[in-house]
Amino acid sequence: MKLIQLTDIHLTTPGQTIGGRDPNANFDRALSHALTNHPDTEAIIITGDLSDWGERDDYMRLKAKLNDVDIPVHLCIGNHDDRPTFVDVFPDLTDQNGFVQKTVALSEGTAILLDTWGPETHAGHFCETRAAWLDARLSEGDGPFWLFLHHNPVPTHLGPMDQIMLLDADRFGGVVARHRGKIRHIFFGHCHMPLNGSLHGVPVSAPRGTNHAGWANFPEATMLSASDLPEAYAVILTSGASVTVHMVEYGYTGEIRVEGTPDYSAWTKETMAR
């Protein structure tokens, strides 16, 4: 099974930039790159911050663009989004409680998309109602389940970033712990940097976003840090017992060189230019 994860696309009014980059153009590039290089992907999942200011026009343009994509595309919302505005444009994406949550049947198990949005905050929230919904979905089968959400459910140990992580991480983690034998992987965004780890033994990962990039600035205690690293998305590959996640830095514009053959016998000092 192959899935594509895009995150933190931050669509804006056309012509506006973030960090000197055009998020609309960079989303178009990411989508084009993914569809061109991975036409065999089963689904594309965008893990939040769809709009930079939660504006209706951004969601309308996103909806129109996704209508032209043949591969199924599924959406989470993030802290930069506005749930009421998003739901007005995508009314069929809510659960029975009004949260932007759903399950997606895959060739290998089920993806569960979660809503960690809260009003007037950049931090993530996962109330008892959302936790009960997730617990019920995980109780419906043996898995494997793949969880997708916006906010990081594990600390980055970067002070400013962890102020806006999933504040209800213990509640979320409690559900994960009860079902950890069924959950293969947890995917998130929000941090604008590649991250890997685990939660109650379940692997977690995040790629860099499709526009502006973060930086792991451990000495900084107050402000979030940015960098000029390339834009990226994730390619998720599963095969039976294995899960592999690539971060594809499609924003890289340098040379891609042929280093050599994987044939061991051909690697000699005389034939291999290093």
Side-chain angles (χ1 to χ4, degrees):
M1 180 177 72
K2 178 187 285 188
L3 303 173
I4 300 293
Q5 180 195 4
L6 307 180
T7 196
D8 297 273
I9 63 177
H10 286 268
L11 300 183
T12 59
T13 300
Q16 291 183 350
T17 61
I18 302 173
R21 301 180 182 185
D22 183 337
N24 300 303
N26 279 327
F27 174 62
D28 288 346
R29 290 172 61 214
L31 199 57
S32 176
H33 192 280
L35 294 172
T36 299
N37 289 277
H38 306 283
D40 57 337
T41 192
E42 191 166 316
I44 297 172
I45 299 173
I46 309 179
T47 49
D49 281 1
L50 309 173
S51 168
D52 194 45
W53 293 102
E55 294 178 336
R56 180 182 175 84
D57 286 349
D58 295 336
Y59 297 134
M60 292 296 293
R61 284 184 284 106
L62 175 62
K63 188 173 188 177
K65 189 176 298 294
L66 297 184
N67 284 338
D68 295 328
V69 178
D70 293 332
I71 295 170
V73 181
H74 306 286
L75 306 175
C76 299
I77 58 172
N79 51 290
H80 279 261
D81 293 303
D82 180 74
R83 188 194 290 134
T85 306
F86 174 84
V87 170
D88 188 52
V89 177
F90 294 94
D92 56 335
L93 297 188
T94 58
D95 65 10
Q96 65 269 33
N97 300 304
F99 294 110
V100 182
Q101 304 193 134
K102 68 174 185 177
T103 61
V104 178
L106 300 171
S107 62
E108 189 174 334
T110 303
I112 303 181
L113 280 63
L114 300 172
D115 181 336
T116 57
W117 183 85
E120 299 181 0
T121 177
H122 286 302
H125 297 272
F126 201 67
C127 61
E128 291 184 2
T129 301
R130 282 175 273 192
W133 183 90
L134 174 59
D135 187 72
R137 301 293 78 75
L138 292 170
S139 299
E140 291 174 344
D142 296 329
F145 291 100
W146 316 87
L147 306 188
F148 291 84
L149 66 159
H150 179 70
H151 290 85
N152 51 305
V154 295
T156 64
H157 301 282
L158 301 168
M161 178 57 68
D162 287 344
Q163 291 180 37
I164 57 172
M165 67 176 286
L166 183 64
L167 299 185
D168 297 318
D170 288 345
R171 178 179 291 124
F172 174 75
V175 179
V176 169
R178 286 195 294 276
H179 298 277
R180 59 176 170 254
K182 303 178 181 180
I183 304 170
R184 292 288 301 279
H185 205 101
I186 301 170
F187 303 93
F188 62 95
H190 187 51
C191 301
H192 293 250
M193 62 183 74
L195 291 163
N196 299 277
S198 65
L199 177 64
H200 294 292
V202 178
V204 303
S205 66
R208 196 176 301 129
T210 63
N211 191 66
H212 41 304
W215 181 261
N217 189 3
F218 286 91
E220 174 58 52
T222 305
M223 303 297 287
L224 299 169
S225 298
S227 71
D228 294 321
L229 292 168
E231 304 87 348
Y233 63 84
V235 179
I236 302 157
L237 300 136
T238 73
S239 178
S242 69
V243 178
T244 303
V245 183
H246 287 269
M247 188 178 75
V248 178
E249 296 179 295
Y250 74 93
Y252 171 70
T253 58
E255 180 184 4
I256 299 177
R257 298 177 294 277
V258 174
E259 184 177 25
T261 173
D263 182 359
Y264 179 82
S265 63
W267 284 62
T268 68
K269 290 183 178 180
E270 290 73 26
T271 60
M272 291 297 296
R274 306 284 282 173

Short mmCIF file of all heavy atoms in Angstrom, two decimals, residues 2-57:
data_model
loop_
_atom_site.label_atom_id
_atom_site.label_comp_id
_atom_site.label_asym_id
_atom_site.label_seq_id
_atom_site.Cartn_x
_atom_site.Cartn_y
_atom_site.Cartn_z
N LYS A 2 0.47 2.22 -0.78
CA LYS A 2 1.19 3.50 -0.80
C LYS A 2 0.20 4.63 -0.51
O LYS A 2 -0.87 4.70 -1.10
CB LYS A 2 1.86 3.74 -2.15
CG LYS A 2 2.59 5.08 -2.24
CD LYS A 2 3.11 5.36 -3.63
CE LYS A 2 4.35 4.53 -3.95
NZ LYS A 2 4.97 4.96 -5.24
N LEU A 3 0.60 5.53 0.40
CA LEU A 3 -0.17 6.72 0.72
C LEU A 3 0.76 7.94 0.63
O LEU A 3 1.97 7.82 0.82
CB LEU A 3 -0.75 6.65 2.14
CG LEU A 3 -1.64 5.45 2.47
CD1 LEU A 3 -1.97 5.46 3.97
CD2 LEU A 3 -2.91 5.45 1.66
N ILE A 4 0.18 9.09 0.35
CA ILE A 4 0.91 10.35 0.36
C ILE A 4 0.37 11.20 1.50
O ILE A 4 -0.84 11.35 1.65
CB ILE A 4 0.75 11.11 -0.97
CG1 ILE A 4 1.29 10.29 -2.15
CG2 ILE A 4 1.44 12.48 -0.89
CD1 ILE A 4 2.78 10.08 -2.14
N GLN A 5 1.27 11.76 2.31
CA GLN A 5 0.87 12.72 3.34
C GLN A 5 1.42 14.09 2.98
O GLN A 5 2.63 14.29 2.91
CB GLN A 5 1.38 12.32 4.72
CG GLN A 5 0.97 13.31 5.81
CD GLN A 5 1.74 13.15 7.12
OE1 GLN A 5 2.65 12.32 7.21
NE2 GLN A 5 1.38 13.94 8.12
N LEU A 6 0.51 15.03 2.74
CA LEU A 6 0.87 16.44 2.64
C LEU A 6 0.44 17.09 3.95
O LEU A 6 -0.54 16.67 4.57
CB LEU A 6 0.16 17.12 1.48
CG LEU A 6 0.27 16.51 0.09
CD1 LEU A 6 -0.50 17.35 -0.92
CD2 LEU A 6 1.73 16.37 -0.35
N THR A 7 1.14 18.13 4.35
CA THR A 7 0.74 18.79 5.59
C THR A 7 1.10 20.27 5.55
O THR A 7 2.02 20.69 4.82
CB THR A 7 1.38 18.12 6.82
OG1 THR A 7 0.69 18.55 8.01
CG2 THR A 7 2.87 18.40 6.95
N ASP A 8 0.35 21.06 6.31
CA ASP A 8 0.63 22.48 6.50
C ASP A 8 0.79 23.21 5.17
O ASP A 8 1.79 23.86 4.92
CB ASP A 8 1.88 22.63 7.38
CG ASP A 8 1.66 22.06 8.77
OD1 ASP A 8 1.16 22.81 9.63
OD2 ASP A 8 1.94 20.87 9.00
N ILE A 9 -0.27 23.11 4.36
CA ILE A 9 -0.21 23.75 3.04
C ILE A 9 -0.47 25.25 3.13
O ILE A 9 -0.04 26.01 2.27
CB ILE A 9 -1.17 23.07 2.05
CG1 ILE A 9 -2.63 23.21 2.48
CG2 ILE A 9 -0.80 21.60 1.89
CD1 ILE A 9 -3.63 22.60 1.50
N HIS A 10 -1.20 25.71 4.16
CA HIS A 10 -1.34 27.14 4.48
C HIS A 10 -1.77 27.99 3.28
O HIS A 10 -1.15 29.03 2.99
CB HIS A 10 -0.04 27.69 5.07
CG HIS A 10 0.23 27.28 6.47
ND1 HIS A 10 -0.17 28.02 7.56
CD2 HIS A 10 0.84 26.17 6.98
CE1 HIS A 10 0.20 27.40 8.68
NE2 HIS A 10 0.81 26.27 8.36
N LEU A 11 -2.81 27.58 2.58
CA LEU A 11 -3.28 28.37 1.44
C LEU A 11 -3.65 29.78 1.87
O LEU A 11 -4.20 30.01 2.95
CB LEU A 11 -4.47 27.69 0.79
CG LEU A 11 -4.22 26.26 0.25
CD1 LEU A 11 -5.48 25.75 -0.43
CD2 LEU A 11 -3.03 26.22 -0.69
N THR A 12 -3.34 30.75 1.00
CA THR A 12 -3.57 32.16 1.30
C THR A 12 -4.25 32.84 0.11
O THR A 12 -4.40 32.25 -0.96
CB THR A 12 -2.25 32.89 1.59
OG1 THR A 12 -1.40 32.77 0.43
CG2 THR A 12 -1.54 32.33 2.79
N THR A 13 -4.61 34.08 0.31
CA THR A 13 -5.10 34.88 -0.81
C THR A 13 -4.03 34.90 -1.90
O THR A 13 -2.85 35.14 -1.60
CB THR A 13 -5.39 36.32 -0.34
OG1 THR A 13 -6.38 36.27 0.69
CG2 THR A 13 -5.87 37.18 -1.49
N PRO A 14 -4.38 34.60 -3.14
CA PRO A 14 -3.38 34.57 -4.22
C PRO A 14 -2.53 35.83 -4.23
O PRO A 14 -3.03 36.96 -4.12
CB PRO A 14 -4.23 34.44 -5.48
CG PRO A 14 -5.45 33.69 -5.03
CD PRO A 14 -5.72 34.21 -3.64
N GLY A 15 -1.23 35.62 -4.33
CA GLY A 15 -0.28 36.73 -4.33
C GLY A 15 0.40 36.95 -3.00
O GLY A 15 1.46 37.58 -2.93
N GLN A 16 -0.20 36.45 -1.91
CA GLN A 16 0.41 36.60 -0.59
C GLN A 16 1.44 35.51 -0.37
O GLN A 16 1.31 34.40 -0.88
CB GLN A 16 -0.65 36.56 0.50
CG GLN A 16 -1.57 37.76 0.51
CD GLN A 16 -2.57 37.72 1.65
OE1 GLN A 16 -2.70 36.71 2.35
NE2 GLN A 16 -3.27 38.83 1.85
N THR A 17 2.47 35.82 0.41
CA THR A 17 3.53 34.86 0.70
C THR A 17 3.65 34.64 2.20
O THR A 17 3.18 35.44 3.00
CB THR A 17 4.88 35.34 0.15
OG1 THR A 17 5.22 36.59 0.78
CG2 THR A 17 4.83 35.53 -1.36
N ILE A 18 4.29 33.53 2.56
CA ILE A 18 4.63 33.22 3.95
C ILE A 18 6.10 32.84 3.97
O ILE A 18 6.52 31.91 3.29
CB ILE A 18 3.78 32.06 4.50
CG1 ILE A 18 2.28 32.38 4.40
CG2 ILE A 18 4.16 31.78 5.95
CD1 ILE A 18 1.39 31.22 4.77
N GLY A 19 6.89 33.56 4.75
CA GLY A 19 8.32 33.29 4.78
C GLY A 19 8.97 33.48 3.42
O GLY A 19 9.95 32.83 3.10
N GLY A 20 8.41 34.40 2.63
CA GLY A 20 8.96 34.65 1.30
C GLY A 20 8.58 33.60 0.27
O GLY A 20 9.06 33.65 -0.86
N ARG A 21 7.71 32.67 0.63
CA ARG A 21 7.31 31.60 -0.29
C ARG A 21 5.81 31.69 -0.57
O ARG A 21 5.03 32.13 0.27
CB ARG A 21 7.63 30.23 0.32
CG ARG A 21 9.11 30.04 0.63
CD ARG A 21 9.37 28.66 1.22
NE ARG A 21 10.78 28.49 1.56
CZ ARG A 21 11.31 27.35 2.01
NH1 ARG A 21 10.53 26.29 2.18
NH2 ARG A 21 12.59 27.27 2.29
N ASP A 22 5.43 31.25 -1.76
CA ASP A 22 4.04 31.29 -2.18
C ASP A 22 3.39 29.95 -1.85
O ASP A 22 3.63 28.96 -2.53
CB ASP A 22 3.98 31.55 -3.69
CG ASP A 22 2.56 31.69 -4.21
OD1 ASP A 22 1.62 31.18 -3.56
OD2 ASP A 22 2.39 32.28 -5.28
N PRO A 23 2.56 29.88 -0.80
CA PRO A 23 2.00 28.59 -0.40
C PRO A 23 1.06 27.99 -1.43
O PRO A 23 0.96 26.76 -1.53
CB PRO A 23 1.27 28.91 0.91
CG PRO A 23 1.01 30.37 0.87
CD PRO A 23 2.13 30.97 0.10
N ASN A 24 0.36 28.82 -2.21
CA ASN A 24 -0.52 28.29 -3.24
C ASN A 24 0.28 27.60 -4.33
O ASN A 24 -0.04 26.48 -4.76
CB ASN A 24 -1.38 29.41 -3.83
CG ASN A 24 -2.24 30.08 -2.78
OD1 ASN A 24 -3.03 29.43 -2.11
ND2 ASN A 24 -2.08 31.39 -2.61
N ALA A 25 1.34 28.27 -4.80
CA ALA A 25 2.19 27.68 -5.83
C ALA A 25 2.90 26.43 -5.29
O ALA A 25 3.04 25.43 -6.01
CB ALA A 25 3.22 28.70 -6.31
N ASN A 26 3.32 26.47 -4.03
CA ASN A 26 4.03 25.32 -3.48
C ASN A 26 3.10 24.13 -3.28
O ASN A 26 3.53 22.97 -3.42
CB ASN A 26 4.70 25.70 -2.16
CG ASN A 26 6.01 26.43 -2.38
OD1 ASN A 26 6.73 26.15 -3.34
ND2 ASN A 26 6.33 27.38 -1.52
N PHE A 27 1.84 24.38 -2.94
CA PHE A 27 0.88 23.27 -2.87
C PHE A 27 0.64 22.68 -4.25
O PHE A 27 0.61 21.45 -4.41
CB PHE A 27 -0.44 23.76 -2.28
CG PHE A 27 -1.52 22.72 -2.32
CD1 PHE A 27 -1.38 21.52 -1.63
CD2 PHE A 27 -2.68 22.92 -3.05
CE1 PHE A 27 -2.38 20.54 -1.68
CE2 PHE A 27 -3.68 21.96 -3.10
CZ PHE A 27 -3.52 20.77 -2.42
N ASP A 28 0.52 23.53 -5.25
CA ASP A 28 0.35 23.02 -6.61
C ASP A 28 1.54 22.17 -7.02
O ASP A 28 1.39 21.10 -7.63
CB ASP A 28 0.20 24.19 -7.59
CG ASP A 28 -1.14 24.90 -7.46
OD1 ASP A 28 -2.05 24.34 -6.81
OD2 ASP A 28 -1.27 26.01 -8.01
N ARG A 29 2.75 22.63 -6.67
CA ARG A 29 3.97 21.87 -7.00
C ARG A 29 3.99 20.54 -6.27
O ARG A 29 4.36 19.51 -6.85
CB ARG A 29 5.21 22.69 -6.65
CG ARG A 29 5.45 23.90 -7.54
CD ARG A 29 6.58 24.74 -6.98
NE ARG A 29 7.82 24.00 -6.93
CZ ARG A 29 8.75 24.15 -5.99
NH1 ARG A 29 8.56 25.00 -4.99
NH2 ARG A 29 9.85 23.45 -6.03
N ALA A 30 3.60 20.55 -5.00
CA ALA A 30 3.60 19.31 -4.21
C ALA A 30 2.62 18.31 -4.80
O ALA A 30 2.94 17.12 -4.96
CB ALA A 30 3.24 19.61 -2.76
N LEU A 31 1.43 18.78 -5.11
CA LEU A 31 0.40 17.90 -5.66
C LEU A 31 0.84 17.34 -7.01
O LEU A 31 0.71 16.14 -7.28
CB LEU A 31 -0.90 18.68 -5.80
CG LEU A 31 -2.20 17.89 -5.94
CD1 LEU A 31 -2.39 16.95 -4.75
CD2 LEU A 31 -3.37 18.85 -6.06
N SER A 32 1.39 18.20 -7.86
CA SER A 32 1.86 17.76 -9.17
C SER A 32 3.01 16.76 -9.04
O SER A 32 3.04 15.73 -9.73
CB SER A 32 2.31 18.96 -10.00
OG SER A 32 2.85 18.56 -11.23
N HIS A 33 3.94 17.04 -8.14
CA HIS A 33 5.09 16.15 -7.94
C HIS A 33 4.62 14.79 -7.44
O HIS A 33 5.07 13.74 -7.92
CB HIS A 33 6.05 16.78 -6.94
CG HIS A 33 7.39 16.12 -6.87
ND1 HIS A 33 7.61 14.95 -6.15
CD2 HIS A 33 8.59 16.43 -7.44
CE1 HIS A 33 8.87 14.60 -6.26
NE2 HIS A 33 9.49 15.48 -7.04
N ALA A 34 3.70 14.79 -6.48
CA ALA A 34 3.20 13.53 -5.92
C ALA A 34 2.45 12.72 -6.97
O ALA A 34 2.65 11.50 -7.10
CB ALA A 34 2.31 13.81 -4.72
N LEU A 35 1.58 13.38 -7.72
CA LEU A 35 0.78 12.66 -8.72
C LEU A 35 1.64 12.15 -9.87
O LEU A 35 1.38 11.08 -10.43
CB LEU A 35 -0.33 13.58 -9.25
CG LEU A 35 -1.40 13.97 -8.23
CD1 LEU A 35 -2.33 15.02 -8.82
CD2 LEU A 35 -2.19 12.75 -7.77
N THR A 36 2.68 12.91 -10.23
CA THR A 36 3.56 12.50 -11.33
C THR A 36 4.45 11.34 -10.93
O THR A 36 4.63 10.37 -11.68
CB THR A 36 4.43 13.69 -11.79
OG1 THR A 36 3.58 14.73 -12.26
CG2 THR A 36 5.39 13.27 -12.89
N ASN A 37 5.01 11.41 -9.73
CA ASN A 37 5.98 10.41 -9.29
C ASN A 37 5.33 9.22 -8.58
O ASN A 37 5.98 8.17 -8.45
CB ASN A 37 7.01 11.06 -8.37
CG ASN A 37 7.95 11.98 -9.12
OD1 ASN A 37 8.93 11.54 -9.71
ND2 ASN A 37 7.64 13.27 -9.11
N HIS A 38 4.10 9.38 -8.13
CA HIS A 38 3.44 8.30 -7.38
C HIS A 38 2.01 8.10 -7.87
O HIS A 38 1.05 8.20 -7.09
CB HIS A 38 3.47 8.61 -5.89
CG HIS A 38 4.84 8.88 -5.37
ND1 HIS A 38 5.76 7.88 -5.13
CD2 HIS A 38 5.47 10.06 -5.08
CE1 HIS A 38 6.89 8.42 -4.70
NE2 HIS A 38 6.75 9.73 -4.66
N PRO A 39 1.83 7.81 -9.16
CA PRO A 39 0.47 7.61 -9.68
C PRO A 39 -0.21 6.38 -9.10
O PRO A 39 -1.42 6.24 -9.21
CB PRO A 39 0.69 7.47 -11.19
CG PRO A 39 2.09 6.96 -11.32
CD PRO A 39 2.85 7.62 -10.21
N ASP A 40 0.58 5.51 -8.46
CA ASP A 40 0.03 4.29 -7.86
C ASP A 40 -0.37 4.49 -6.40
O ASP A 40 -0.73 3.52 -5.72
CB ASP A 40 1.04 3.15 -7.96
CG ASP A 40 2.38 3.48 -7.31
OD1 ASP A 40 2.71 4.69 -7.18
OD2 ASP A 40 3.11 2.54 -6.95
N THR A 41 -0.33 5.73 -5.92
CA THR A 41 -0.73 5.95 -4.54
C THR A 41 -2.22 5.70 -4.37
O THR A 41 -3.03 5.98 -5.26
CB THR A 41 -0.37 7.37 -4.06
OG1 THR A 41 -0.50 7.44 -2.65
CG2 THR A 41 -1.26 8.42 -4.69
N GLU A 42 -2.59 5.17 -3.22
CA GLU A 42 -3.98 4.80 -2.95
C GLU A 42 -4.80 5.98 -2.49
O GLU A 42 -6.00 6.06 -2.77
CB GLU A 42 -3.99 3.70 -1.89
CG GLU A 42 -5.30 3.02 -1.67
CD GLU A 42 -5.14 1.76 -0.86
OE1 GLU A 42 -4.19 0.98 -1.13
OE2 GLU A 42 -5.95 1.54 0.05
N ALA A 43 -4.18 6.89 -1.77
CA ALA A 43 -4.89 8.06 -1.27
C ALA A 43 -3.88 9.12 -0.86
O ALA A 43 -2.73 8.81 -0.54
CB ALA A 43 -5.78 7.70 -0.07
N ILE A 44 -4.33 10.36 -0.89
CA ILE A 44 -3.55 11.49 -0.38
C ILE A 44 -4.28 12.02 0.85
O ILE A 44 -5.49 12.25 0.82
CB ILE A 44 -3.43 12.60 -1.44
CG1 ILE A 44 -2.66 12.09 -2.66
CG2 ILE A 44 -2.75 13.84 -0.85
CD1 ILE A 44 -2.67 13.06 -3.83
N ILE A 45 -3.53 12.20 1.94
CA ILE A 45 -4.12 12.72 3.17
C ILE A 45 -3.37 14.00 3.54
O ILE A 45 -2.14 14.01 3.64
CB ILE A 45 -4.04 11.69 4.30
CG1 ILE A 45 -4.82 10.43 3.89
CG2 ILE A 45 -4.59 12.26 5.61
CD1 ILE A 45 -4.70 9.26 4.84
N ILE A 46 -4.12 15.08 3.73
CA ILE A 46 -3.54 16.38 4.08
C ILE A 46 -3.85 16.64 5.55
O ILE A 46 -5.01 16.79 5.93
CB ILE A 46 -4.09 17.51 3.20
CG1 ILE A 46 -3.97 17.14 1.71
CG2 ILE A 46 -3.33 18.81 3.48
CD1 ILE A 46 -4.52 18.21 0.77
N THR A 47 -2.80 16.70 6.36
CA THR A 47 -2.99 16.73 7.82
C THR A 47 -3.01 18.14 8.40
O THR A 47 -2.26 18.47 9.31
CB THR A 47 -1.92 15.87 8.52
OG1 THR A 47 -0.63 16.21 8.01
CG2 THR A 47 -2.18 14.40 8.32
N GLY A 48 -3.89 18.97 7.86
CA GLY A 48 -4.21 20.22 8.53
C GLY A 48 -3.43 21.45 8.13
O GLY A 48 -2.46 21.40 7.39
N ASP A 49 -3.88 22.57 8.70
CA ASP A 49 -3.47 23.91 8.29
C ASP A 49 -3.65 24.04 6.78
O ASP A 49 -2.73 24.34 6.03
CB ASP A 49 -2.05 24.23 8.74
CG ASP A 49 -1.98 24.62 10.21
OD1 ASP A 49 -3.03 24.64 10.88
OD2 ASP A 49 -0.87 24.91 10.70
N LEU A 50 -4.89 23.80 6.37
CA LEU A 50 -5.25 23.89 4.96
C LEU A 50 -5.25 25.33 4.50
O LEU A 50 -4.81 25.65 3.39
CB LEU A 50 -6.63 23.27 4.75
CG LEU A 50 -6.82 21.86 5.34
CD1 LEU A 50 -8.27 21.42 5.22
CD2 LEU A 50 -5.89 20.86 4.67
N SER A 51 -5.75 26.22 5.34
CA SER A 51 -5.76 27.66 5.08
C SER A 51 -4.92 28.35 6.14
O SER A 51 -4.89 27.92 7.29
CB SER A 51 -7.20 28.18 5.13
OG SER A 51 -7.23 29.60 5.16
N ASP A 52 -4.26 29.43 5.76
CA ASP A 52 -3.43 30.13 6.74
C ASP A 52 -4.28 30.94 7.73
O ASP A 52 -3.90 31.07 8.89
CB ASP A 52 -2.45 31.06 6.02
CG ASP A 52 -1.34 31.55 6.93
OD1 ASP A 52 -0.78 30.73 7.68
OD2 ASP A 52 -1.04 32.76 6.92
N TRP A 53 -5.43 31.44 7.25
CA TRP A 53 -6.28 32.26 8.12
C TRP A 53 -7.69 31.70 8.23
O TRP A 53 -8.60 32.40 8.68
CB TRP A 53 -6.33 33.70 7.61
CG TRP A 53 -5.01 34.39 7.74
CD1 TRP A 53 -4.11 34.62 6.75
CD2 TRP A 53 -4.42 34.92 8.93
NE1 TRP A 53 -2.99 35.27 7.25
CE2 TRP A 53 -3.16 35.46 8.59
CE3 TRP A 53 -4.85 35.00 10.26
CZ2 TRP A 53 -2.33 36.07 9.52
CZ3 TRP A 53 -4.01 35.60 11.19
CH2 TRP A 53 -2.77 36.13 10.82
N GLY A 54 -7.91 30.47 7.82
CA GLY A 54 -9.22 29.85 7.94
C GLY A 54 -10.29 30.53 7.11
O GLY A 54 -11.45 30.62 7.53
N GLU A 55 -9.91 31.01 5.91
CA GLU A 55 -10.82 31.80 5.10
C GLU A 55 -11.58 30.94 4.08
O GLU A 55 -11.02 30.03 3.47
CB GLU A 55 -10.06 32.92 4.40
CG GLU A 55 -9.51 33.93 5.40
CD GLU A 55 -8.70 35.04 4.77
OE1 GLU A 55 -8.17 34.83 3.66
OE2 GLU A 55 -8.59 36.11 5.39
N ARG A 56 -12.83 31.30 3.87
CA ARG A 56 -13.71 30.54 2.99
C ARG A 56 -13.14 30.43 1.56
O ARG A 56 -13.20 29.36 0.94
CB ARG A 56 -15.10 31.19 2.95
CG ARG A 56 -16.08 30.47 2.05
CD ARG A 56 -17.43 31.18 2.00
NE ARG A 56 -18.32 30.53 1.04
CZ ARG A 56 -19.06 29.46 1.32
NH1 ARG A 56 -19.03 28.94 2.53
NH2 ARG A 56 -19.83 28.94 0.39
N ASP A 57 -12.60 31.52 1.05
CA ASP A 57 -12.09 31.49 -0.32
C ASP A 57 -10.98 30.46 -0.48
O ASP A 57 -10.87 29.82 -1.54
CB ASP A 57 -11.58 32.86 -0.74
CG ASP A 57 -12.71 33.85 -1.02
OD1 ASP A 57 -13.88 33.40 -1.08
OD2 ASP A 57 -12.42 35.05 -1.16
#
